Amino acid sequence: MKSFKNRKAYHNYFFLQDFEAGIVLQGTEVKSIRSGKLNFKDSFARIEENEIWLHHMHISVYERGSYSNHDPERKRKLLLNRREIKKIMKYTEEKGMTLVPKTVFINDKGLVKVVVSIAKGKKTYDKRDSLKEKDAIRDVQRKIKNL
């Protein structure tokens, strides 16, 4: 199972609830994802007409593709249950809440899935605190390793 994490999102947001969604892709996009040509650090999801769309996810053009290659920056539809979409709509109507993709992975059946999360933005002091925690954990691990 191959997976890609959105490290920038982990730094910029607090995650409240996760949803696993399918994604509508073209054939060459799947091949590019399998080869690791994926960038979604600036991407976000938006609800448009009771459907969830993923914006600014860059999937590079497949180098062996021909005239049927895809547009790397196109918006892509996420596949969720109606009940989940209504729950997401309720959360995102609150001030300060947004929908951010956390990870993209290929499951055991070969399908590409996206984990999107309801997120709340971190303030700068929250980001500093999380960096201090990460440094402290890294220091402890170094000391344990040297023993």
Side-chain angles (χ1 to χ4, degrees):
M1 184 166 85
K2 199 174 208 180
S3 68
F4 307 94
K5 279 190 176 182
N6 188 352
R7 287 192 236 137
K8 189 174 180 182
Y10 281 92
H11 180 71
N12 290 333
Y13 298 100
F14 292 116
F15 298 114
L16 303 177
Q17 189 171 6
D18 294 343
F19 296 93
E20 185 177 312
I23 184 168
V24 177
L25 296 172
Q26 296 174 350
T28 55
E29 290 176 326
V30 175
K31 292 177 180 183
S32 291
I33 289 173
R34 286 181 192 272
S35 63
K37 308 275 171 104
L38 169 72
N39 182 4
F40 61 109
K41 69 178 182 180
D42 293 328
S43 63
F44 60 94
R46 184 177 286 161
I47 300 170
E48 299 171 7
E49 299 177 15
N50 293 328
E51 294 178 338
I52 298 181
W53 293 85
L54 190 61
H55 295 267
H56 296 291
M57 180 182 203
H58 183 86
I59 300 174
S60 296
V61 175
Y62 186 58
E63 61 270 356
R64 294 190 186 128
S66 60
Y67 62 89
S68 63
N69 255 331
H70 61 276
D71 177 26
E73 286 284 328
R74 75 179 184 91
K75 67 180 187 177
R76 294 163 179 92
K77 184 177 177 180
L78 295 180
L79 304 171
L80 287 159
N81 292 334
R82 192 172 297 137
R83 190 175 343 111
E84 292 174 328
I85 292 173
K86 285 182 182 179
K87 189 183 280 189
I88 290 171
M89 286 171 74
K90 186 181 86 175
Y91 275 114
T92 54
E93 286 171 356
E94 295 178 30
K95 186 177 180 189
M97 300 294 189
T98 185
L99 194 58
V100 178
K102 257 171 84 170
T103 57
V104 174
F105 64 94
I106 301 171
N107 70 2
D108 299 335
K109 296 179 183 177
L111 301 173
V112 178
K113 299 284 185 172
V114 179
V115 176
V116 292
S117 291
I118 308 281
K120 184 174 184 168
K122 287 184 181 179
K123 306 284 186 198
T124 53
Y125 55 84
D126 291 328
K127 293 178 187 179
R128 278 189 233 121
D129 290 342
S130 62
L131 287 174
K132 285 179 189 175
E133 270 182 43
K134 192 190 291 186
D135 287 342
I137 291 170
R138 194 176 298 134
D139 288 341
V140 170
Q141 288 176 345
R142 273 193 211 123
K143 288 177 183 176
I144 290 172
K145 183 180 175 185
N146 290 335
L147 291 178

